[in-house]
Each structure stands twice: as C-alpha cells, then as structure tokens.
Amino acid sequence: MTAQWLSLIATIWLQSISGTNSNFPAYSSELKRILSISQLQLNNLASASDAGKLLGWLSGIAAAHLPLRLVLLIGSLLGLISYGIQFLFLTNQAHSLSYYHVFTLNVIAGNSICWINTVCYIIAIRNFPFDRQVAVGLSTSYVGLSAKIYTAVVDVLFSSSEAERARAFLVLNAVLPLAVCVVAVPLVRVIDVEKSRGLERGFLGMCVITMATGLFAVITSLRFLSSRHGWMILVGMFVFMVLPILVPAAENVREGVQRKCLIRVHDDEGFTSFAQSKDDDELEEVRGSDIGAKLMLRSVEFWLYFCVYLFGATIGLVYLNNLGQIGESRGCSGTSCSLVSVSSAFGFFGRLLPSLLDYFYPRHLAICGSKRLVSGAAAMGIMMIPMCVAFLLLLNGQNISLYISTAIIGTCTGAITSISVSTTTQLFGTKNFGVNHNILVSNISIGSFLFGGLAAMLYKRRINVRGDTCVGQKCYQLTFIIWGSLCVVGTLLSFVLHARTKKMYSSVNRR
C-alpha cells in the first residue's frame, strides 16, 4: 500500500510543476517587444503551445510501449530544450531566432507537457483502479498550482523588472520540471492492485492536505500579501508540497497496529463483508467498453464530447492564456502575474472539486441506500453554467469584476479538465486511455487558434492608430460576448451527450 501512496505523491509533485504553459502571460509581453510582433502574432505563439497537444497521442503510444520512467524523462527533456532556447533568446545569447523558430519551440514545449501528464494519468488510473476519479482529481488539482509556485519563486529570487521576471519564468520552465522528474522517477511505476482496501482514511488525509494547500495558495494570492511576504509564501508552498508524505507514513503505522490486532482476533467474515461493501461503492469503475481510437472517432458520442470540451475547458484556457493582455487593456499594468496567481489558485480548487464530490457523494448515497451516478457529461455541463455567467460579468469594466470572473473561469476550467479524465474512461474504457484522451485534448490547440485568433483580430480593430496597444473595456467586449455564447452552446451539448449516454448510467444505477 505504501508504494501506491508514494506513486500518487510522485504524480502530485509532477503535476504541480507541469503547467508551464500557464506562465506564458508572465513573459508574453517581453516576447512581443523583442520580436516586434503584433497582438495576433503573439496570440499565435500562445496557441503554438496548445498546438503541441495535437501530437500528444505520441506520448500515449510511447507509454504503451516504453517504460513510464523513460516517457517521463523524454517529456522533461523536451521542455528543457524548448524553454531553454527561448531563455537564451531573451538574454541575447541566441540572436538568430526568428518568429517561426520561437513558434516551433512553443509547439515542442506544449507537447512536452503531454508526456508528463500522460504518465501521471496512467499511474493514477492503474494504481487506484477503484478510486481513479479521486486519485486523478487529487493529482491533477496540483496543475492549478503551477503558476503560483513559479510566481512565488520568481518573486523571491529575482528582481521586479519585467524583463528579468520574463527570463526567470523561462529558465524555471526549463529546469524545474526536469529536476522534479529526476526526483520522482524512482516512485513512478505501475503496481499490481487486486483490490483497493482501506484507502478511505488515506484519501481523506490527502483531501485535507490538498484543501489546506489550496487555501494557502488563494490567501497568499491577495496582492497585499504576495507583495510583502515572498519568503513566507515560498517556504509555505514547499512545506505543503511535502506534507502528503505524512499519509503513507500514517498508513504504515495503522497497518502495523492492525497486524498486531489480527494476531489476537482474525475475523475472516469481517474482511469479506468489508470487501463486498467496498466493491459496491466502486461506481467509478463503470465505463464503456475498451475501444481503440479509430472506433472512437466514428462515434457520435465522441464528437459531442469533443465539442463540449471545446466550448468549455478550451475557451476557459484561451481566456487564461490571454490574461496578460486582458489585464493590460483594463489598465492593470504590472498585475498580470497577480491575475495568473488568482487563476492558478482557483484552478487548483476547481480540479480538486470533482474528487471531493466523488469521495463524499457516493458514500453518502450508499449510506442512504441509493446509487445514483451522475454522468461526466452532466457534471461538465453543470460546471459550464457559472462560466457563462462569468463571461457576462466581464462586460463590467470594474477591476473587481475582472478578478471575480477570472476566479470563476479558473475554477470551472479546472473542474472540467479533471472530470474529463474519468469521463474518457467511462465512455471509451481504460485500455487505450493514453491515446484516446490525448486525441480529445487536441481540441485545445484548435480552439486556441480559432478563439484566440478571433480575440486578437477584434483586439486589433480597437487599437488606437497611434499605438499598438488597446486600452479600455471595449477591447475585449465583443470577444467576451462570443466566448460566453459558445459556452452556452457547449452547456446545451453536454446535456445532449448526457441524454445519449443515459442508458449506460441507468443500468449502473440499477445494480
């Protein structure tokens, strides 16, 4: 059991530093200045990172044929190369890079994330087959902390100039994932698990630690704290990242006590009863048949699912990628990193939310004698409703509306991202998950080009003829209306998908 928990802790550490693409707003303005490019070209650079996900299925194939540790190292090395060269470019040590070179490097950087994420998903799904939503949600929630962690390091160790901060983010994007991968490699392995027994207390402890970590991240994202207590925040984040080790330590102590008790009293019937009740609670095991990518692409359910994700999580990610320019247009010069921290912290809670519901909700229903299972499609639709409201709220020109909307969009985007992992397994099985899910998230690159490009073009139309920067509420007004409308469409499609897959969940609820 200890090996199970250590593998989950390894995925937590890996996910916490894998969200390097969320740092793009922190150095995008510097890239724009050095490359002398337009807002549309800058948006294409942001989209290039998402375009790397078009080749994410390669990591799925690699994970099926290569050791997971090797897959992990390949991903971290790709990140080292792509971000490292961009760092050299910003420090004038690589003079010959053109816009298209930087574009290609961003594609590689985006693809590197897929390799790390694929390993983390596979470890969580296979090592916790009867608690996969909880395990996946716990680990992926830490992706939402990536920007917070990187920002905390930069605030303490580097100067406050925009140029220096931009270089700092890039060098950390290059080095930190590789360093953590080297530390985590010994713990990354698939464990043969016949049954998940006695994990409830461990998951409860993990949830408590994770919630405390998220609260710390949210509170320290407040501007008056983040600007005054940099060292406290950095040390605090490090402590919270180490705390999950207490769970396997406590589990070892508990197992030792149980062994001593079993020497005195061995109740086989008690163990049988527990195993049976545990099996009855494993609602997350319900899924469609294990099918390959070709068959999946022929199904109507996949394309509905694809569009739901496209108009939900992808639009949210495009919004978050444009936070730097959105904040600048609202006159929040110099606070783009603060917005990034807010979105990161609330994204953390969003990714954690499905795990908390999955942990407590089914068990509460089991106590009440019911086993109603909410489909992933319906859950995604429910989380998209607040996003529609947030885009409407963005039409208000006050900065408080900007921060509230960013928090809502960050939370909902994170939740949908987490829910989608279990939804993919429910609809298409676990055998080909690495390839199937990477095909799904390839819509992020498509949406990034379409929605991000649209935002850049509308932004350009609002630019004053004397400059290259748009200032004012109207810069993104029409963009927010369009994004919000698409989000409404995605919400409706999610319930259409739920209706089409309702029979599968109804059959499970009758068991």
Side-chain angles (χ1 to χ4, degrees), residues 488-509:
V488 172
V489 173
T491 304
L492 296 176
L493 290 177
S494 69
F495 291 108
V496 173
L497 177 61
H498 168 72
R500 288 186 65 91
T501 57
K502 189 175 181 180
K503 290 183 179 180
M504 180 181 72
Y505 292 97
S506 296
S507 65
V508 174
N509 291 327

Side-chain angles (χ1 to χ4, degrees), residues 148 213-227 229 232-233 237 341:
K148 175 66 179 179
T213 305
L215 284 173
F216 179 82
V218 170
I219 293 172
T220 55
S221 293
L222 300 176
R223 194 178 176 190
F224 72 92
L225 285 176
S226 60
S227 60
H229 305 284
M232 181 197 74
I233 295 173
M237 289 304 302
S341 292

Side-chain angles (χ1 to χ4, degrees), residues 207-217 240 349:
C207 286
V208 170
I209 292 172
T210 304
M211 289 180 66
T213 305
L215 284 173
F216 179 82
F240 276 110
F349 271 115

